[in-house]
Amino acid sequence: MTTAHPTQRTDARTSLTLAAIVIAAWAALHVAAVWHLDALAHPLLALAALAGLTWLSTGLFIIAHDAMHGAVAPGRPRLNAAIGQLVLWLFAGFSWRKLIVKHMAHHRHAGTDDDPDFGHGGPVGWYLKFVRTYFGLREALFLGGATLLYAVVLGERWPYVAYWSVPSILASMQLFYFGTYLPHMPREAETFPDRHRARSSRMSDPISFLSCFHFGGYHHEHHLYPHVPWWRLPRTRKRGAE
């Protein structure tokens, strides 16, 4: 029987705690916005709730992403898969199996035509390809059915189901722009440092955290050390991967 390294146990506790905080915060704000908020009476609060749910939805996807690399619960693949599927359901009903296969292909073929995340041209066309890659018939049926059921349960508050769908759409744009387009977009005047064909931005750590949970600010580091959880990515540049 192998014993987990102390660093691995500490990372697992931290990653699980942070995942629980993001999920709980999303759930609490979701319930408050969908079931209790009066958006017409409090428009600024309604916008703040939308922004908060968008950012937390981004966090849900980042948790799933870390789970794909075994970074949420190191050494416990079933727990990683369970957490990953849970947050993907909350995010937009995505399939864990489908996403993990495509994401591993992204790491093997980053920035090439064999990369499912890679596109050509400007951000709009690339984003539409990105959506078509991950949003298929299964996702459309799941979201459509779940949205209809949710609207029926809400009754007169049915328009507030938008506080589930709209943040997911906005979060997908945020994840695409900061976590895919900017890091992997070819530039004529700049070559990529290595075969990962990824770059990191030089934004400050607070902005990196707010933009995409460090996956924009430290994207090249993520490709170098995919087992490192999102919250420890800044250390990979400052101290090297542990």
Side-chain angles (χ1 to χ4, degrees):
M1 180 177 178
T2 58
T3 302
H5 189 276
T7 299
Q8 188 181 57
R9 292 198 298 269
T10 300
D11 280 3
R13 286 195 295 268
T14 304
S15 290
L16 288 169
T17 299
L18 291 174
I21 291 172
V22 171
I23 293 169
W26 179 91
L29 186 55
H30 174 85
V31 169
V34 172
W35 291 94
H36 303 291
L37 178 65
D38 186 342
L40 295 179
H42 306 285
L44 293 180
L45 189 59
L47 289 174
L50 180 64
L53 282 169
T54 298
W55 185 71
L56 289 168
S57 295
T58 300
L60 291 178
F61 195 90
I62 294 301
I63 293 168
H65 171 271
D66 270 6
M68 293 177 198
H69 291 288
V72 175
R76 303 179 68 180
R78 290 185 180 180
L79 182 56
N80 276 296
I83 293 172
Q85 184 59 86
L86 170 64
V87 293
L88 288 176
W89 277 334
L90 296 176
F91 180 79
F94 286 135
S95 165
W96 165 261
R97 290 182 181 274
K98 179 179 178 179
L99 260 71
I100 194 172
V101 169
K102 290 186 178 296
H103 188 65
M104 293 304 109
H106 164 67
H107 274 266
R108 288 194 302 271
H109 309 291
T112 71
D113 289 336
D114 292 323
D115 176 1
D117 291 0
F118 185 68
H120 297 279
V124 176
W126 193 337
Y127 173 72
L128 292 176
K129 174 186 178 294
F130 186 79
V131 171
R132 288 195 301 270
T133 297
Y134 291 101
F135 193 83
L137 179 61
R138 176 197 174 280
E139 287 73 28
L141 291 174
F142 179 94
L143 279 183
T147 300
L148 181 60
L149 178 61
Y150 210 169
V152 170
V153 172
L154 284 170
E156 293 182 353
R157 288 185 61 86
W158 67 266
Y160 285 84
V161 75
Y163 273 103
W164 180 40
S165 55
V166 173
S168 294
I169 294 169
L170 295 177
S172 75
M173 296 178 181
Q174 184 175 345
L175 287 158
F176 165 75
Y177 187 74
F178 290 104
T180 297
Y181 181 71
L182 289 182
H184 294 288
M185 174 187 62
R187 295 173 181 167
E188 292 183 3
E190 177 188 358
T191 58
F192 290 106
D194 52 36
R195 66 175 182 83
H196 296 288
R197 297 180 62 81
R199 68 173 63 85
S200 297
S201 70
R202 297 297 172 177
M203 61 182 71
S204 66
D205 281 357
I207 298 300
S208 174
F209 172 57
L210 290 173
S211 66
C212 197
F213 287 75
H214 294 313
F215 276 92
Y218 295 90
H219 201 83
H220 183 234
E221 286 78 5
H222 164 63
H223 274 261
L224 290 174
Y225 315 111
H227 62 284
V228 173
W230 68 265
W231 53 270
R232 201 153 62 84
L233 280 174
R235 287 196 216 170
T236 63
R237 183 182 299 164
K238 297 170 183 176
R239 304 176 187 175
E242 296 178 4

